Amino acid sequence: MTSKKTGTGAKSADVITCKITTHLPHYSHHADADNRHMVNVTATTTCTKKVARLSIRVALYKNGNLYKQSSVKSNTGRNKIGQNAARRCVKKQKYTGYSKGVVTFPAGYTPHTKTVRDESKSVTINACKKK
């Protein structure tokens, strides 16, 4: 998704391109007992230049049903943001990640805001224990 600067003096180099990526859900084992045996999905939105505002929300689906949804995370004046959703691993299930974000471009750029979405491939997690 691209936004171009408009108005007098705008150059062809005044373009900001942003991309959202939902990574593959994966088994996540951490030493902290509260976070053991989780399925985690992460997503990032990255822009070629700093923007006015970024927000992102990530969802983890198990067998096509919503299993966990993150809160909305936002920042201002940056070019990157990331978020995750994690919940207890259930073996031999199919997991998919979804992400949705909103990019607010600096003043003078068109469009001023844009919603971005992405979906990971579905993966089956066969085991929920560290090998």
Side-chain angles (χ1 to χ4, degrees):
M1 173 247 329
T2 301
S3 181
K4 295 181 180 182
K5 192 164 191 176
T6 58
T8 308
K11 302 174 199 159
S12 62
D14 291 337
V15 173
I16 299 174
T17 301
C18 300
K19 182 180 180 181
I20 191 167
T21 303
T22 307
H23 306 279
L24 290 176
H26 60 278
Y27 170 71
S28 181
H29 173 80
H30 298 282
D32 182 353
D34 290 340
N35 291 324
R36 282 188 172 196
H37 311 302
M38 304 290 276
V39 174
N40 187 35
V41 63
T42 61
T44 54
T45 300
T46 305
C47 301
T48 55
K49 297 179 183 177
K50 291 180 181 179
V51 296
R53 182 178 175 88
L54 289 167
S55 66
I56 190 169
R57 177 176 237 169
V58 180
L60 176 65
Y61 281 74
K62 181 178 75 171
N63 299 324
N65 297 306
L66 181 63
Y67 192 52
K68 178 69 176 187
Q69 183 168 267
S70 73
S71 61
V72 175
K73 184 177 180 182
S74 300
N75 65 27
T76 56
R78 304 186 91 183
N79 72 327
K80 186 175 183 179
I81 192 167
Q83 179 66 303
N84 79 298
R87 190 162 172 197
R88 184 180 61 84
C89 183
V90 179
K91 68 182 178 178
K92 298 182 182 176
Q93 304 297 306
K94 186 180 280 190
Y95 295 94
T96 310
Y98 293 90
S99 59
K100 179 180 175 183
V102 177
V103 179
T104 304
F105 293 97
Y109 281 80
T110 302
H112 182 61
T113 62
K114 186 71 177 179
T115 300
V116 291
R117 294 177 178 85
D118 191 44
E119 175 182 339
S120 74
K121 291 182 180 179
S122 294
V123 295
T124 299
I125 297 178
N126 290 315
C128 297
K129 301 261 185 209
K130 189 173 180 180
K131 295 178 182 179

